[in-house]
Amino acid sequence: MPNSISFSCAATLIWCFSSLLLHSYSSSAPYSNETDHLALLAIRSHFHDPIGFTTSLNNSINLGQWTGVTCAHRHQKVTKLDLRKYQSLRGFLSPYVGNLSFLRHINIADNSFHGEIPREIGNLFRLETLMITDNSFSGLMPTNLSRCSNLIAFHANNNKLAGEIPEEIGCLFKLQKLSIRRNLLT
Ligand SMILES: *[C@@H]1O[C@H](CO)[C@@H](O)[C@H](O)[C@H]1NC(C)=O
Ligand SMILES: *[C@@H]1O[C@H](CO)[C@@H](O)[C@H](O)[C@H]1NC(C)=O
Ligand SMILES: *[C@@H]1O[C@H](CO)[C@@H](O)[C@H](O)[C@H]1NC(C)=O
Ligand SMILES: *[C@@H]1O[C@H](CO)[C@@H](O)[C@H](O)[C@H]1NC(C)=O
């Protein structure tokens, strides 16, 4: 019995130590992807943030430390963009968003984004959730959205999207949730 206790303590210690090492390694690695860096800078420059929530967007350190940005640790590729909680952002969603090639989740709900949903979103074949509820996006739903073959949820209630729902959306076989109420769709 005492042997097995000390064995499990040693195992726990080794585990703690290695996670500590892994953690310090990942948080000190500089960002390695200039494409993602440029895309974030472009995205940031297309909206206005009157209350200053995103002023800590920072171009000199780990991309994962930018406000609202989550990165995959090993490659410093952006996997999640979550600007929902800031709630006062006003402007366009930059087409550069389509360059964040590892992006899985976009949540910019409850802001004042307007203009069209950039077609470049269709380049994000890893995208699983796209949440743009309660904004003022207008124009057509981009046909290119149908290229996001891993899309599971698209929430766009309460925008100004117009015209027909593109047939191609029917090709999104993984799509489970589509909410597009309170738009101008026909
Ligand atoms: C950054 O990402 C782009 C596109 O996703 C890729 O082509 C490029 O090789 C990556 N660069 C590095 C240094 O990881
Ligand atoms: C950028 O990051 C560094 C290091 O964390 C910090 O000292 C600096 O204040 C940040 N700049 C802005 C504009 O937030
Ligand atoms: C990223 O996207 C923009 C606009 O969609 C494009 O002009 C630019 O060349 C792209 N590539 C890189 C590597 O930033
Ligand atoms: C839209 O998708 C088509 C292919 O279906 C592609 O050729 C085109 O480049 C895409 N447009 C953008 C802006 O990504």
Side-chain angles (χ1 to χ4, degrees):
M1 201 53 178
N3 273 347
S4 76
I5 289 173
S6 59
F7 173 76
S8 76
C9 284
T12 310
L13 266 179
I14 288 169
W15 182 83
C16 288
F17 188 58
S18 54
S19 8
L20 204 71
L21 271 181
L22 275 178
H23 180 76
S24 55
Y25 173 73
S26 59
S27 58
S28 63
Y31 71 79
S32 59
N33 202 290
E34 191 54 19
T35 307
D36 283 31
H37 180 216
L38 287 177
L40 287 176
L41 287 175
I43 290 167
R44 179 64 190 88
S45 70
H46 278 68
F47 65 77
H48 176 58
D49 173 8
I51 305 178
F53 285 119
T54 57
T55 46
S56 70
L57 283 183
N58 196 316
N59 62 12
S60 62
I61 50 169
N62 288 351
L63 297 183
Q65 290 178 11
W66 288 37
T67 306
V69 173
T70 305
C71 278
H73 275 310
R74 276 178 65 205
H75 303 296
Q76 288 292 300
K77 295 285 288 179
V78 177
T79 55
K80 182 174 175 185
L81 192 62
D82 185 357
L83 300 174
R84 178 178 196 159
K85 54 182 176 280
Y86 305 109
Q87 293 193 350
S88 55
L89 310 179
R90 197 171 302 141
F92 298 96
L93 181 59
S94 166
Y96 271 79
V97 72
N99 292 355
L100 295 172
S101 55
F102 275 62
L103 205 53
R104 290 179 190 277
H105 308 284
I106 299 177
N107 188 348
I108 55 171
D110 298 328
N111 282 293
S112 300
F113 282 94
H114 55 90
E116 297 192 350
I117 301 172
R119 279 176 307 161
E120 288 75 2
I121 281 201
N123 298 337
L124 302 173
F125 69 92
R126 291 185 171 88
L127 195 67
E128 293 171 16
T129 54
L130 176 58
M131 312 274 198
I132 60 167
T133 309
D134 295 316
N135 279 282
S136 300
F137 282 103
S138 58
L140 303 173
M141 267 169 74
T143 306
N144 276 31
L145 195 59
S146 65
R147 297 172 68 213
C148 299
S149 53
N150 282 300
L151 198 66
I152 296 169
F154 177 44
H155 294 284
N157 284 344
N158 205 16
N159 277 280
K160 294 172 180 161
L161 298 173
E164 295 185 354
I165 301 168
E167 259 176 54
E168 290 81 352
I169 298 294
C171 302
L172 292 170
F173 292 118
K174 294 190 178 171
L175 195 66
Q176 293 171 14
K177 293 176 182 167
L178 175 68
S179 27
I180 45 178
R181 282 180 292 134
R182 295 194 302 277
N183 278 286
L184 308 166
L185 294 162
T186 53

